Amino acid sequence: MNERGAFSDLATTRALSASPLGRLDRSLVTELVSGTVKRRLTLDWALGRWLPRGMAGTPPWARNILRLAAYQILYLDRIPASAACDTAVELAKKYAPRTAGLVNAVLRSLARNGRPDLPPFSADPVTHLALKHSHPPWLVQRWLRRWGREWTEALMEAANRPPPLAVRVNTLKREPREVAAEFKARGQEVRESGYAPEGLVVEGLSFLEDLPGLQAGHYVFQDEGSMVVSHALSPREQSLTVDACAGLGTKTTHLAQLNHNRGDILAVDRQPGRLRLLRRACARLGVTCVRSLAADARRLPDLVDDTPEFVLVDAPCSGLGVLRRRADARWKKNPRDLAVLPALQLELLEAAWALLPSGGVLVYSTCTVEPEENQEVVRELRDRHPDLVPEDLNSHLPRPLPRPEDRQQAAQGWLQLYPHVHGTDGFFIARLRKR
């Protein structure tokens, strides 16, 4: 996965879906893969001092075998170092026989000596934090410059922890208390979401489990921050709503749920394959008010004759707010993304704005924490359109935001959620009305 550029989360899910492993073993495999990928920078640094040619000069199979074992040695208490070493050597004999001796020697040295000392923060703050929390140095430098050490470390620590697993109960079929009771009967701990009444946070649950309620459309997996987005739009019954970047339809079906399946929702996405999955999701959830259109949302004014009252632009973005959920995302992003993406985001917003009549509402959302993609994009749109009015989000959210500073932000028409502050993914949400 590391060598070929595959998405580790998707590859792990595919492999485990065909595996006879039980729930606990599947959870361990998921942790090993996710942790090894997230901690790659630190693992390579710790291993590199025992490799004569460094990690770059080590064959690909051996690199990944070493990383996997090093993660167990340095980060997991429940697996003895000797067991991690022995397993790695057996894997090397199978997949890279010529490296088995090297793998054995390197891992025994690492187990004896542990992690090397970090360079002092005072001497090199970026390298210190990048190695300590295994984040790309360019990103550490950005965050340090904007927020300082304490906030940056807290955000990176949150990105390295497994995310809580939240579900959105489909109130077209079930009530949250009923679904909560079913999870509790399975032995799982459940708490209500602090942000959406239809949300539940479930401990001891895995994405990989074959759950009857999931297949029956009683709920979907959805982060709490993602649920806030649809509430920010709050489409009325019988209204036309356009979801301009619908993707797999998680927010689309939530919009249908909020308007009690009595509106008209047009789901737009460039990829027909995504829309096929969206239609399957609608069928499973009992959603009948959604129609789909395979198109580039930047061309919507030329393609949509009807006038929507509500438009959602959940735009393509750098995804730097969901690093805890996408193990390899931090290694696939680069500063060029932040130079290119705002132009695309503005094009999508301009197209959405052209669709709206006077009094129409646009919600813009991203899953990133970078101001170039968030506040600055909204500011540019506002500068271009004097008829744009930010609207107080507080009156559209079903539950009060917990922090006074969040409520003040929301009163100005926008909200930024952070994993280490709110327990959600990193989401930006803005609600804008046309005069």
Side-chain angles (χ1 to χ4, degrees):
M1 291 176 287
N2 280 329
E3 309 300 334
R4 299 176 188 172
F7 290 98
S8 62
D9 304 334
L10 295 176
T12 304
T13 300
R14 282 196 298 268
L16 288 178
S17 65
S19 167
L21 292 174
R23 183 168 66 88
L24 292 178
D25 287 335
R26 287 178 174 218
S27 296
L28 176 59
V29 170
T30 302
E31 180 183 355
L32 288 174
V33 173
S34 177
T36 300
V37 173
K38 284 181 178 179
R39 298 284 186 175
R40 190 181 78 189
L41 182 70
T42 311
L43 297 173
D44 286 4
W45 167 69
L47 289 163
R49 63 176 176 159
W50 305 113
L51 288 163
R53 298 182 181 179
M55 286 297 278
T58 304
W61 270 107
R63 278 203 293 266
N64 283 328
I65 291 169
L66 286 168
R67 287 166 177 157
L68 183 62
Y71 178 74
Q72 297 171 67
I73 292 168
L74 297 179
Y75 291 101
L76 297 186
D77 295 331
R78 62 185 183 272
I79 299 177
S82 58
C85 292
D86 291 343
T87 302
V89 171
E90 292 306 311
L91 287 171
K93 289 177 180 177
K94 182 176 180 180
Y95 295 105
R98 294 181 180 179
T99 67
L102 175 68
V103 166
N104 183 58
V106 168
L107 292 176
R108 301 292 174 188
S109 297
L110 182 67
R112 281 195 306 271
N113 294 277
R115 196 178 313 170
D117 293 333
L118 292 166
F121 180 85
S122 57
D124 189 347
V126 171
T127 302
H128 175 93
L129 292 181
L131 290 175
K132 182 179 179 181
H133 300 290
S134 195
H135 277 61
W138 71 267
L139 187 58
V140 175
Q141 186 174 39
R142 280 180 59 86
W143 288 355
L144 266 179
R145 188 166 53 239
R146 189 187 321 152
W147 290 315
R149 179 177 183 175
E150 183 178 352
W151 184 283
T152 298
E153 281 212 79
L155 181 55
M156 289 193 290
E157 287 170 355
N160 286 334
R161 288 193 293 268
L165 200 56
V167 299
R168 186 193 88 226
V169 176
N170 177 20
T171 52
L172 299 177
K173 289 190 173 186
R174 302 297 298 275
E175 292 300 318
R177 56 180 173 78
E178 297 172 330
V179 173
E182 291 169 3
F183 279 126
K184 290 176 182 176
R186 289 170 49 92
Q188 276 122 3
E189 295 182 22
V190 183
R191 62 174 171 83
E192 294 182 357
S193 166
Y195 298 93
E198 65 275 32
L200 301 172
V201 180
V202 188
E203 302 290 340
L205 189 63
S206 166
F207 275 115
L208 298 166
E209 290 186 65
D210 186 16
L211 302 167
L214 184 67
Q215 301 306 318
H218 296 167
Y219 48 84
V220 298
F221 292 118
Q222 186 174 8
D223 180 75
E224 293 180 90
S226 176
M227 295 182 214
V228 175
V229 174
S230 299
H231 280 288
L233 190 63
S234 298
R236 288 193 297 269
E237 292 183 17
Q238 311 304 329
S239 63
L240 172 59
T241 300
V242 172
D243 186 352
C245 305
L248 301 180
T250 304
K251 296 183 183 69
T252 314
T253 54
H254 194 192
L255 293 171
Q257 185 175 322
L258 294 180
N259 73 20
H260 303 100
N261 205 23
R262 294 173 186 155
D264 180 12
I265 299 176
L266 177 62
V268 181
D269 198 89
R270 292 180 64 178
Q271 297 187 25
R274 286 181 177 173
L275 292 177
R276 284 194 293 273
L277 294 175
L278 180 149
R279 289 190 290 270
R280 289 182 199 168
C282 288
R284 187 174 68 253
L285 297 169
V287 170
T288 58
C289 68
V290 172
R291 52 196 172 97
S292 61
L293 172 65
D296 186 332
R298 291 173 291 184
R299 297 182 54 234
L300 279 181
D302 301 324
L303 300 174
V304 178
D305 295 327
D306 298 329
T307 302
E309 293 180 55
F310 301 90
V311 178
L312 171 62
V313 176
D314 184 42
C317 69
S318 64
L320 293 174
V322 292
L323 296 184
R324 64 182 188 170
R325 202 171 293 282
R326 299 173 187 169
D328 44 13
R330 67 191 70 185
W331 312 122
K332 294 178 180 290
K333 307 299 179 181
N334 61 67
R336 292 189 299 277
D337 296 330
L338 302 178
V340 173
L341 284 166
L344 169 61
Q345 292 152 355
L346 265 171
E347 285 187 78
L348 291 166
L349 287 173
E350 286 283 9
W353 197 250
L355 283 177
L356 284 172
S358 177
V361 174
L362 167 66
V363 163
Y364 173 60
S365 67
T366 70
C367 57
T368 185
V369 295
E370 302 309 308
E372 295 99 317
E373 302 179 82
N374 296 337
Q375 297 94 324
E376 292 177 19
V377 168
V378 172
R379 189 179 299 117
E380 176 67 22
L381 186 71
R382 190 176 182 181
D383 289 345
R384 295 181 184 185
H385 297 281
D387 56 347
L388 184 156
V389 182
E391 284 209 320
D392 186 347
L393 276 170
N394 290 297
S395 59
H396 298 282
L397 302 183
R399 290 183 171 163
L401 293 165
R403 304 191 314 155
E405 52 265 56
D406 293 332
R407 296 193 290 274
Q408 291 170 7
Q409 241 182 46
Q412 300 173 46
W414 63 278
L415 176 66
Q416 179 71 68
L417 300 173
Y418 297 95
H420 65 298
V421 175
H422 302 92
T424 68
D425 287 343
F427 266 94
F428 175 83
I429 305 160
R431 180 180 167 102
L432 314 166
R433 183 180 290 275
K434 182 180 279 192
R435 275 201 193 94

